[in-house]
Amino acid sequence: MATSVATTGALPAVRRAPTNKWLVTLSVTFGTLMGAIDSSIVNVALPQIRGAVGATVQEITWATTGFVIATVMVMPLTGFLGRLFGQKRVYLACLVLFVAGSFLCGFAWNLPTLVLFRFLQGLGAGALQPTEQAILRQTFPPKEQGTAMAIFGMAVMVGPAIGPTLGGYIVDNWHWSWIFFINVPVGILGFFMVARFVQEDEQLRTTARVEAERQRKHMDWSGITLLCMGLATLQYFLEEGQADDWFESPVIIACALFAATCLIAFVIRELTAVAPAVNLRLFKDPVFASGTMLGALVFAVLMASMFLLPVFMQELLGFTATQSGMSLMPRTLVMMLMMPIVGRLYGKVPARVLVGIGIVFAGFGAFEMSHFSLATGSGNIIAAIALQGVGFSLMFVPLSATALANIPRERMADATGLNSLLRQIGGSMGLAIFTTLLSRYSVQAKASLAAHLNPERLEVASRMAATQKGLMQRGLDSAGAQMASLQMMAGNVSRQAMVLAFDKLFVLAALMFVVVLPLIYFLKAAPGGGGSHEKPHIDVEI
């Protein structure tokens, strides 16, 4: 370690070696990638987990709901916690909590323990994503901010994409508990790398200590309580609304009213508090506000479109979880290839242009999916999702970089927490809306198709007669063959209705991209660069 002896004091002043940005990046990306993977990896193992813990289909969804609720509760408090305890300590503590929760999930013996351990996992994962984003913004120089956000985007976007593939492979070849145990060695490696290499800048720590004293004197317990209650009930509303038929359920109605009341009271509290736990005044910056809000809208459409395709492949095309994940892998590979390229283009090409081109690619990919049928093969799927992979990459990097362009260094953790929160809520809203529409569109399509199945129509009568004759040739009697032919016809109608519902939703996704396209006008460019043009202040010990 290089040192220099100060001539004006009794103690030597230690000068740290220059920042090794790639060691910092590798260290902090482990946690974010694991948290992103865990948001989707569990879904493919739910049938096996349900049998192991003795839960019903509806009850096992709490394994996912509890994780997401805990995650959104922590995200906006990242800056607050970082000032009180130190950014690095918060990251390490949350990484330990995430790894411990993962380890315990593998040993869960019933549903309550699984939900509790998944909740612990979510509390740990909530701070990892915004903290990494803040550290990367402070580590990379101004001209490489696009590269920093490309690396961050790969962890955030690629994680959920490879989660189902990895989970399907583990479930098909090993025990379901390994989807949790796999986090332990990776988390331990990430912990020691962060502890060894990442160091906080003394100037930032001094500023944080001053603000921490102010926070302790005026602890915002009311704001924290309102935030946690409001976000928890809002996320429950979004996650469980479809299962409970939305506003037909008194519980869902109560959650909606309670969430709205708490969040309105929270906003009022934070705007009037002496030392607010969450700095909502950051939205006064038009660069941050426009980038964050547009990012949330785009992410809602992205998450909805990413949700639809695996369901289509498994429910209608008969793919296994592993086959479905492998068919989606080309989109992941395209994103991994494109994001570094987009990172280099950022700063050379206007963010509006990159986002606009990305929206066109993603929208055209969704439109191509609207032509899927029961005869669709892997080649058709790969062509469509490759277009979306290009679009996702072109959108995510400039949106993330532009939103934080004017944020001061000492407020970066607050801004990344809010940015991650709204992106998460946007994704949840997109999933809730499209899940509801899928159910309703399939019912409508089935009713429309059934209206044409009149036995007096020549086409229907001949199809029924041919099916019945074939069944009788296989040994069924006349009555049994007639009943079986009716059941087969009903099954075909249901499958075709689901295809029509999916196609309609893919068209809707494409139209939503078109609607979002004019909003790039509000993606204001940073005039002076603000915080992004300051010298990075995260040091690395070598």
Side-chain angles (χ1 to χ4, degrees):
M1 179 181 295
T3 61
S4 61
V5 180
T7 58
T8 57
L11 296 176
V14 178
R15 180 175 298 172
R16 299 190 184 279
T19 301
N20 188 318
K21 58 192 176 186
W22 302 115
L23 279 176
V24 173
T25 300
L26 183 62
S27 301
V28 298
T29 300
F30 277 122
T32 301
L33 185 59
M34 287 191 301
I37 290 174
D38 260 57
S39 66
S40 62
I41 192 174
V42 175
N43 295 338
V44 298
L46 288 180
Q48 290 81 1
I49 298 175
R50 183 171 67 86
V53 300
T56 65
V57 174
Q58 187 170 1
E59 289 172 341
I60 198 62
T61 59
W62 270 101
T64 301
T65 303
F67 178 86
V68 177
I69 287 176
T71 300
V72 299
M73 287 169 57
V74 175
M75 278 181 173
L77 296 174
T78 303
F80 170 80
L81 295 172
R83 285 188 291 274
L84 283 180
F85 306 108
Q87 188 169 265
K88 178 180 175 179
R89 290 179 181 176
V90 169
Y91 185 92
L92 291 175
C94 287
L95 186 57
V96 169
L97 189 60
F98 176 81
V99 172
S102 300
F103 182 75
L104 293 172
C105 282
F107 290 106
W109 54 90
N110 56 29
L111 182 64
T113 56
L114 177 63
V115 173
L116 173 62
F117 298 150
R118 282 286 283 169
F119 189 82
L120 291 177
Q121 251 195 325
L123 290 178
L128 297 179
Q129 187 179 121
T131 304
E132 182 199 354
Q133 193 175 8
I135 290 176
L136 292 181
R137 290 287 301 191
Q138 295 162 345
T139 300
F140 280 74
K143 64 181 180 180
E144 297 181 5
Q145 288 300 303
T147 301
M149 291 302 97
I151 296 169
F152 173 72
M154 288 176 65
V156 173
M157 298 291 292
V158 172
I162 66 175
T165 306
L166 180 60
Y169 180 81
I170 291 174
V171 169
D172 289 344
N173 295 277
W174 296 315
H175 192 262
W176 62 264
S177 58
W178 280 99
I179 66 176
F180 299 111
F181 290 152
I182 197 173
N183 291 329
V184 176
V186 180
I188 292 174
L189 176 61
F191 178 90
F192 283 108
M193 290 190 68
V194 171
R196 172 67 180 88
F197 297 118
V198 178
Q199 298 295 331
E200 293 177 274
D201 176 68
E202 284 299 327
Q203 181 181 350
L204 286 177
R205 293 177 65 179
T206 301
T207 303
R209 279 194 290 266
V210 173
E211 293 202 26
E213 284 301 317
R214 189 161 173 262
Q215 285 182 169
R216 291 188 181 97
K217 291 179 181 178
H218 307 280
M219 188 61 74
D220 188 17
W221 292 117
S222 299
I224 295 173
T225 302
L226 288 170
L227 173 69
C228 292
M229 293 193 303
L231 289 179
T233 49
L234 173 63
Q235 198 63 41
Y236 178 87
F237 169 80
L238 294 173
E239 293 282 330
E240 302 295 327
Q242 169 62 18
D244 294 338
D245 202 16
W246 294 105
F247 293 105
E248 298 297 322
S249 166
V251 175
I252 295 299
I253 294 174
C255 283
L257 294 175
F258 187 76
T261 302
C262 288
L263 292 177
I264 291 172
F266 164 74
V267 171
I268 296 172
R269 167 65 185 176
E270 298 310 280
L271 294 178
T272 57
V274 176
V278 180
N279 188 1
L280 297 180
R281 289 184 174 84
L282 290 172
F283 286 107
K284 293 174 66 176
D285 174 20
V287 177
F288 177 70
S290 61
T292 299
M293 294 302 179
L294 183 57
L297 288 173
V298 170
F299 208 73
V301 185
L302 298 187
M303 291 302 293
S305 60
M306 290 177 71
F307 155 77
L308 291 174
L309 193 53
V311 177
F312 177 85
M313 289 189 293
Q314 294 181 44
E315 294 291 330
L316 296 176
L317 301 184
F319 286 22
T320 65
T322 303
Q323 290 173 331
S324 174
M326 292 303 295
S327 296
L328 294 174
M329 189 58 68
R331 177 167 58 192
T332 305
L333 296 176
V334 169
M335 290 166 60
M336 293 178 67
L337 176 66
M338 283 295 301
M339 280 193 173
I341 298 174
V342 178
R344 290 186 175 274
L345 289 176
Y346 179 78
K348 300 176 183 177
V349 180
R352 291 175 178 175
V353 174
L354 293 175
V355 174
I357 296 173
I359 290 175
V360 171
F361 269 94
F364 189 68
F367 180 74
E368 287 295 301
M369 293 178 188
S370 68
H371 298 92
F372 286 175
S373 68
L374 294 176
T376 296
S378 297
N380 306 97
I381 295 173
I382 290 173
I385 64 177
L387 291 173
Q388 283 203 324
V390 175
F392 292 175
S393 303
L394 287 166
M395 284 186 283
F396 189 86
V397 174
L399 284 175
S400 298
T402 302
L404 304 173
N406 278 349
I407 301 299
R409 290 166 49 248
E410 63 273 11
R411 296 296 178 195
M412 191 60 68
D414 297 270
T416 55
L418 287 171
N419 187 271
S420 298
L421 172 68
L422 291 184
R423 191 167 56 241
Q424 178 69 47
I425 291 178
S428 296
M429 286 184 173
L431 287 174
I433 293 171
F434 273 70
T435 302
T436 301
L437 292 178
L438 177 62
S439 176
R440 295 183 179 179
Y441 286 168
S442 63
V443 172
Q444 293 172 2
K446 187 174 181 179
S448 298
L449 291 175
H452 296 282
L453 295 180
N454 188 339
E456 296 181 359
R457 292 185 59 189
L458 179 62
E459 301 91 336
V460 177
S462 61
R463 178 68 178 269
M464 290 285 294
T467 304
Q468 187 174 348
K469 181 179 179 180
L471 292 172
M472 290 177 65
Q473 290 176 347
R474 295 182 181 181
L476 288 179
D477 57 28
S478 178
Q482 184 179 14
M483 180 62 67
S485 64
L486 289 172
Q487 292 175 345
M488 291 174 65
M489 183 70 73
N492 288 332
V493 168
S494 297
R495 284 166 59 82
Q496 291 294 343
M498 286 296 293
V499 170
L500 293 175
F502 273 104
D503 288 349
K504 192 173 182 179
L505 285 176
F506 288 133
V507 170
L508 179 61
L511 290 175
M512 290 181 69
F513 280 116
V514 174
V515 171
V516 168
L517 186 59
L519 297 180
I520 62 174
Y521 171 79
F522 299 100
L523 185 62
K524 299 184 180 297
S532 66
H533 286 269
E534 297 178 358
K535 183 180 179 180
H537 287 273
I538 295 289
D539 291 329
V540 180
E541 290 183 350
I542 300 179

